[in-house]
Amino acid sequence: MASTQRSWPARWVAGLFASLALPLFAATLDLRWRDPAREREVPLRVYLPVQQGADARCPLLLLSADEHPAEVLPSAGVGAWIERWVGAGLAVVHIRHPGVTLGSAPFRTATGSARGVTPEQLLGQVDDVAFVIAELRRRQGEGVEPWLGCLDLERVGFAGMGLGARLAQALAGERYPGPIASLARADLRAFVAVNPAVQGQRKTHPDRYGAMHAPFFAVVERRVPTTASQPTFGRRLALFDALPPGGKLRVVVPDVATAPELVYRLSALFLLRHLRAPVVSPETGDATYTQTIAKLRAAGVRVDAK
């Protein structure tokens, strides 16, 4: 079942929201798609931006995120990121993996603390992403659901937060020991991950992370992990160093009060840049991308690029 919220003409709404600096949501839909092959129902929440023209298609960002604010940035939950992405002209499909959200019972210990995702659950998440991409293409081809017509399925990115950061690394090309060496998807063109981290010994990192060639933006917080399953700051910091050069960006946030709005903005600009999205306004162009990095550095935020 889908619920759609739509009111005034899109052009008028865009002008109003731009003047008020509010998110450009043309529609929000709650969907439940069933994968018959796995007998699994995948809940989705879709956020559509206001279209810039009758025939315009917008890039798509798939999102896997725990809806637990402390696992993203303590002062702001997932919604703050979504608002900036949709406001920049990206459609967002939030995949709510069944049983793989931090607040759900399978991810709580007896004391209520969080634990990490298991390999089996990670594979289930990967299969959810594959199913959603295939279903988007199938349904768009059928032309039955009008909202799908505004999506450009040749320009798709992925964002992962909390447990979703591990999934972002897997889809971007992290390699694993064992029979399933890689879970990478070439149809995902750019990645954003909040608090991704390395695993294993440092000597294994070239083999493990050396194939992650897609553009990858890592947002790293200095905060101390609250559970033993969460990676240390050193492991969060080390992922960027282990990645091959080319389209890689790392922002280290010393405190959530330090220019968080610029971090959100930079993530949207990074995605637009690497999804080769058309410039909607001067605020989303390359000059603004460079200026935003400069402003973050001036605010004392570490920004690394390679």
Side-chain angles (χ1 to χ4, degrees):
M1 179 181 294
S3 61
T4 306
Q5 299 173 352
R6 191 183 298 271
S7 50
W8 307 283
R11 185 172 299 178
W12 190 89
V13 174
L16 174 65
F17 280 163
S19 66
L20 296 177
L22 291 175
L24 300 178
F25 291 167
T28 303
L29 304 92
D30 287 317
L31 310 170
R32 303 185 74 88
W33 287 353
R34 182 171 178 78
D35 181 357
R38 297 182 296 153
E39 298 184 347
R40 179 177 172 94
E41 192 174 66
V42 180
L44 308 171
R45 175 162 288 182
V46 180
Y47 302 86
L48 298 176
V50 174
Q51 288 181 266
Q52 300 301 313
D55 298 324
R57 286 192 171 190
C58 54
L60 172 64
L61 182 67
L62 301 178
L63 169 65
S64 176
D66 313 322
E67 297 177 73
H68 189 286
E71 291 305 304
V72 185
L73 290 180
S75 64
V78 175
W81 297 84
I82 294 173
E83 288 177 3
R84 276 52 170 209
W85 293 330
V86 176
L90 294 160
V92 176
V93 174
H94 184 178
I95 304 173
R96 294 171 157 180
H97 308 279
V100 192
T101 54
L102 194 62
S104 59
F107 282 82
R108 290 287 171 184
T109 65
T111 60
S113 61
R115 62 181 175 84
V117 65
T118 67
E120 292 78 12
Q121 289 159 338
L122 178 62
L123 289 173
Q125 289 179 298
V126 170
D127 288 342
D128 286 343
V129 172
F131 164 69
V132 169
I133 292 174
E135 194 69 358
L136 285 166
R137 294 186 182 279
R138 183 184 71 81
R139 290 172 181 248
Q140 187 183 73
E142 291 178 348
V144 177
E145 299 170 74
W147 69 271
L148 287 165
C150 76
L151 303 182
D152 185 343
L153 298 182
E154 299 305 316
R155 294 183 293 160
V156 183
F158 187 89
M161 303 178 179
L163 298 174
R166 283 283 309 278
L167 178 57
Q169 292 176 219
L171 296 170
E174 178 178 350
R175 297 183 66 83
Y176 303 93
I180 304 177
S182 176
L183 300 168
R185 289 196 64 99
D187 50 1
L188 297 174
R189 296 192 174 187
F191 295 83
V192 172
V194 177
N195 288 330
V198 296
Q199 298 184 75
Q201 298 181 7
R202 186 173 180 178
K203 65 182 180 181
T204 68
H205 292 177
D207 289 335
R208 186 152 193 164
Y209 304 105
M212 293 175 64
H213 296 291
F216 196 99
F217 179 16
V219 181
V220 179
E221 272 196 295
R222 290 185 180 273
R223 65 183 176 84
V224 177
T226 56
T227 69
S229 66
Q230 293 175 356
T232 64
F233 172 64
R235 287 193 172 274
R236 296 173 190 164
L237 199 64
L239 179 68
F240 174 85
D241 298 326
L243 297 178
K248 305 303 189 299
L249 193 67
R250 174 176 63 191
V251 171
V252 182
V253 185
D255 187 284
V256 295
T258 304
E261 176 62 38
L262 290 176
V263 176
Y264 301 139
R265 181 186 299 180
L266 184 59
S267 71
L269 293 170
F270 177 88
L271 289 165
L272 291 174
R273 181 186 183 96
H274 291 289
L275 293 177
R276 300 292 188 266
V279 176
V280 175
S281 70
E283 287 72 29
T284 59
D286 283 347
T288 304
Y289 178 82
T290 303
Q291 291 166 7
T292 302
I293 292 176
K295 288 178 181 179
L296 278 167
R297 287 172 172 161
V301 176
R302 178 177 174 182
V303 182
D304 302 301
K306 64 179 180 179

